[in-house]
Amino acid sequence: MILVVLDHDGNRLRKGSLEALARAYRLQEALGGEVAGVLIGEGLGGVAEEARRYVDLLYTVEAGPYTAERWAKAVLEAAKKGAKAVVAPSSRQSRTYLGRVAFALGAGLLEDTLESWAEGGEVYATRYAYLNRVTQKVKAALPVVLTVKPNTTPPAEPKGEGRVEALPLPPVETVEVLEKIQEEKKGVSLAEADVVVTGGRGMGSAEAFKAIEELAALLGGAVGATRAVVDAGWRPYGEQVGQTGKTVQPTLYIALGVSGAVQHLAGMNKSKYIVAVNKDPEAPIFKHADYGIVGDVHQVLPALIQAVKKLKD
Amino acid sequence: MKFIAVIRQVPDGESRLKVQGGRVDLSGATLILDQMDEYAVEEALRLKEKHGGEAVVVGFGPERVEEAIRTALAMGMDRGVHVVHEGYADPVAVAEALAPVLREEAPTLVLTGGQQADWDSQALGGALAEALGVPVVAWTTALELEGETARAKHDLDEGAEWVRVRLPAVFTTQQGLNEPRYPTLPGIMKAKKKEIRKVAAQVSPKVALLEETIQEKARLGKILDGKDPVAAAEELVRLLHEEAKVI
Ligand SMILES: Cc1cc2nc3c(=O)[nH]c(=O)nc-3n(C[C@H](O)[C@H](O)[C@H](O)COP(=O)(O)OP(=O)(O)OC[C@H]3O[C@@H](n4cnc5c(N)ncnc54)[C@H](O)[C@@H]3O)c2cc1C
């Protein structure tokens, strides 16, 4: 059995789950057996109806709010039914609780994989390392746990009506959640945006980001920020791109007043096209740019907005 | 009380990486204490300063990792344990190798980096917690001790939350947790005399590293002069529209 951890928002499966399913079916070609899903959370009825269409067998585990311990236990309960491989969408949370799962199973853990396939009873994968600068090819014997990097795999299609089986969650020592702090969400989500317009400390102020919002909206994109900007309190942490922020891989990444520190590059260096505006011709970001303008962002950005508007008319 | 920081040594992100025979060759790179692990060292020091006890640094990896352990000792950690292992080891294997050492030390809590700057792995904290049979709090941005428990704030995929957790527990770090201090000259002098206990790692690898390649995407590098901002902006938009076809 190949077990897929299906991530969802309480109502619907997330896109990453369909990508993880597609990877599971690829492994099944070589490893055989059924593809099972496991849904973990609270009030799973609705999303279970959607999820069962993608799998032979769906396990549901009513586990309450997320903690790494509960999610790990739930996955282990399902994996105990005979999983050779556990596949999940890659996220901060999955990369934490699957560390527990992999240890408990004595399994090889392949994190944030770009591609994966099975051959001769072993699972192979490619993944980035060294702050996204190096591609590694790795392999692990069964059982294996692997997470799927978002937007690397065409999503799976529904295939029928899988059986549904509820599994109990055994008691587990965990953390007590005291208070949730929701992130304000507006516009296109950063991780999925096809265009990202990021401002760095060179923007000079929080107000200057109004123009970035305008350009992002014109291009149907999302706003990003560097750590310097987040530390200054100009933008929320949820917009930070980089090693300790989000990883993005849009078609077009526009960096305005961004120096191009390695920890920032780690979050965006796989973008298809990178555009930089910086007043310093020696700024490292230019070495990583396809197009750029050496100039003052306060003059260039309004001109860019005008030029895009003109193009759209 | 005993506060443990688990650290690794990694190449400085600014270092040029090269590949030799399908492997990243670090011979020319500057090697440093992983900056995410620096947060762990700093937090262990702050907890010790506030609550007393001992701050211990545990390092995993080849002989050269001793330099990173010395850095942590120079920052103020009391003593070090070096679990020596040559070559690649995946996070599950590392957790297995560290578990007996950590169990023997019986710490109040364990801290380690949220993401490794070499393997880009985020799993060590979770794997260590499983190895020790304790809870894990990942991407921690605030941490306070309250008797037998800790109150911590940490990042989730969306938003953040405050949790209370019974100790011992494992915490992984995130930016914002603290500002790591620099080693001082007296700190560096003292570090030379501090104990580093060497332990040979028992490692059973779960993942084999087959090949590494550097694929820095070749960039076009078409950089325009912005002295005339309007002309430069119009040319850039033309290139993005006609050449790159992205807008
Ligand atoms: C462990 C760790 C993790 C980190 N994680 C991240 C992360 O996730 N994301 C991240 O971004 N950083 C991260 N950093 C921080 C990173 O090292 C840099 O400090 C940060 O990216 C710098 O942000 P910046 O480019 O906005 O600011 P600066 O480095 O200050 O650069 C500002 C740039 O703007 C230019 N400029 C100034 N005025 C103008 C103007 N009027 N017009 C045009 N250009 C102008 C300057 O020439 C300069 O190049 C991390 C650091 C550490 C140690």
Side-chain angles (χ1 to χ4, degrees):
Chain A
M1 179 245 283
I2 296 162
L3 181 68
V4 186
V5 188
L6 298 167
D7 196 7
H8 59 93
D9 63 6
N11 300 305
R12 293 194 60 87
L13 294 181
R14 290 212 163 91
K15 189 170 150 225
S17 298
L18 306 187
E19 298 176 359
L21 282 159
R23 293 283 199 90
Y25 283 109
R26 170 102 202 260
L27 292 180
Q28 186 195 31
E29 288 166 19
L31 299 176
E34 286 192 317
V35 169
V38 56
L39 267 183
I40 312 163
E42 308 182 81
L44 296 168
V47 64
E49 278 311 308
E50 182 194 1
R52 66 188 296 192
R53 294 204 287 272
Y54 290 89
V55 291
D56 301 310
L57 171 60
L58 179 71
Y59 296 110
T60 58
V61 188
E62 290 287 341
Y66 168 81
T67 72
E69 289 68 40
R70 283 200 276 258
W71 258 237
K73 256 298 189 281
V75 174
L76 283 168
E77 279 301 292
K80 268 201 317 222
K81 309 277 178 183
K84 294 179 203 165
V86 176
V87 183
S90 183
S91 68
R92 269 199 181 145
Q93 284 165 213
S94 73
R95 291 173 73 182
T96 303
Y97 67 76
L98 291 174
R100 296 199 78 114
V101 169
F103 188 93
L105 295 174
L109 174 63
L110 309 176
E111 286 177 84
D112 215 24
T113 58
L114 302 161
E115 265 192 297
S116 49
W117 66 99
E119 228 176 86
E122 291 183 306
V123 174
Y124 291 76
T126 57
R127 59 183 306 273
Y128 294 134
Y130 294 95
L131 301 179
N132 253 357
R133 294 199 290 166
V134 167
T135 306
Q136 293 182 329
K137 185 176 166 192
V138 288
K139 74 164 183 185
L142 302 179
V144 69
V145 177
L146 82 88
T147 66
V148 175
K149 190 179 177 66
N151 305 320
T152 54
T153 317
E157 298 289 335
K159 48 167 279 183
E161 289 279 296
R163 310 166 334 259
V164 181
E165 189 183 322
L167 296 177
L169 183 75
V172 50
E173 159 99 52
T174 187
V175 303
E176 177 196 349
V177 178
L178 302 173
E179 185 194 337
K180 287 250 179 224
I181 302 153
Q182 294 299 352
E183 213 167 80
E184 192 190 334
K185 268 189 270 181
K186 50 180 180 183
V188 198
S189 101
L190 188 54
E192 284 165 19
D194 212 34
V195 177
V196 174
V197 188
T198 288
R201 183 156 30 208
M203 294 303 297
S205 67
E207 291 69 53
F209 275 78
K210 288 220 175 70
I212 291 201
E213 285 180 357
E214 190 181 350
L215 182 60
L218 273 174
L219 299 172
V223 175
T226 64
R227 173 170 174 175
V229 163
V230 173
D231 284 351
W234 298 347
R235 300 300 291 187
Y237 166 65
E239 290 180 3
Q240 183 176 311
V241 173
Q243 181 189 5
T244 46
K246 294 207 166 76
T247 304
V248 299
Q249 196 171 345
T251 310
L252 176 61
Y253 189 88
I254 305 182
L256 304 165
V258 172
S259 59
V262 281
Q263 296 89 353
H264 183 75
L265 294 171
M268 47 63 85
N269 60 6
K270 302 294 178 196
S271 303
K272 187 150 184 219
Y273 286 97
I274 295 175
V275 172
V277 177
N278 197 303
K279 67 175 181 190
D280 173 8
E282 303 297 326
I285 190 78
F286 283 126
K287 289 198 192 68
H288 303 270
D290 294 291
Y291 302 101
I293 298 178
V294 178
D296 187 333
V297 75
H298 302 297
Q299 294 168 1
V300 174
L301 180 52
L304 264 177
I305 291 171
Q306 286 317 312
V308 173
K309 279 187 180 158
K310 216 158 101 184
L311 178 75
K312 300 230 154 176
D313 284 342
Chain B
M1 291 205 189
K2 192 188 284 184
F3 306 104
I4 290 192
V6 171
I7 60 128
R8 295 168 69 263
Q9 189 194 39
V10 297
D12 182 346
E14 309 282 349
S15 290
R16 271 192 71 87
L17 294 178
K18 48 181 197 241
V19 164
Q20 284 277 356
R23 282 301 158 83
V24 169
D25 172 6
L26 294 178
S27 56
T30 311
L31 295 161
I32 57 168
L33 167 59
D34 194 331
Q35 289 175 307
M36 292 294 285
D37 293 339
E38 266 183 27
Y39 296 131
V41 170
E42 177 64 34
E43 200 62 18
L45 290 170
R46 289 186 189 200
L47 287 167
K48 181 199 146 170
E49 284 159 5
K50 194 154 168 204
H51 302 281
E54 199 183 18
V56 181
V57 51
V58 175
F60 180 89
E63 275 305 331
R64 56 173 166 74
V65 170
E66 192 176 318
E67 298 157 23
I69 296 174
R70 291 272 174 224
T71 305
L73 294 175
M75 287 168 75
M77 300 295 276
D78 296 309
R79 63 184 167 85
V81 182
H82 182 184
V83 181
V84 186
H85 175 72
E86 293 290 333
Y88 173 74
D90 56 280
V92 171
V94 174
E96 270 179 7
L98 291 176
V101 174
L102 294 178
R103 246 184 254 116
E104 192 187 324
E105 291 280 351
T108 309
L109 57 82
V110 177
L111 291 144
T112 194
Q115 180 177 348
Q116 304 173 341
D118 52 358
W119 310 130
D120 290 10
S121 174
Q122 301 178 0
L124 184 60
L128 275 178
E130 187 68 24
L132 300 175
V134 302
V136 58
V137 180
W139 299 98
T140 311
T141 53
L143 179 56
E144 298 150 13
L145 297 193
E146 292 177 338
E148 305 284 288
T149 65
R151 231 169 70 84
K153 188 181 171 195
H154 75 131
D155 289 337
L156 299 168
D157 285 306
E158 279 154 24
E161 64 186 12
W162 279 98
V163 296
R164 180 175 293 121
V165 59
R166 202 150 60 104
L167 297 174
V170 174
F171 298 84
T172 81
T173 62
Q174 166 64 316
Q175 87 180 53
L177 179 60
N178 54 47
E179 271 308 319
R181 67 195 68 185
Y182 291 102
T184 58
L185 195 58
I188 294 168
M189 299 312 291
K190 267 195 223 151
K192 291 191 176 141
K193 295 197 202 84
K194 288 181 183 170
E195 178 205 336
I196 300 180
R197 182 161 67 91
K198 299 269 180 181
V199 180
Q202 296 296 317
V203 174
S204 52
K206 309 286 182 281
V207 176
L209 179 57
L210 302 175
E211 193 183 10
E212 291 179 311
T213 47
I214 297 180
Q215 293 177 336
E216 303 270 15
K217 187 172 178 293
R219 296 289 172 184
L220 301 172
K222 294 195 179 170
I223 312 299
L224 312 166
D225 186 340
K227 271 199 203 75
D228 180 346
V230 173
E234 285 187 344
E235 175 61 4
L236 176 63
V237 168
R238 189 191 68 78
L239 287 167
L240 291 175
H241 181 61
E242 290 174 14
E243 193 177 88
K245 298 192 168 54
V246 288
I247 61 176

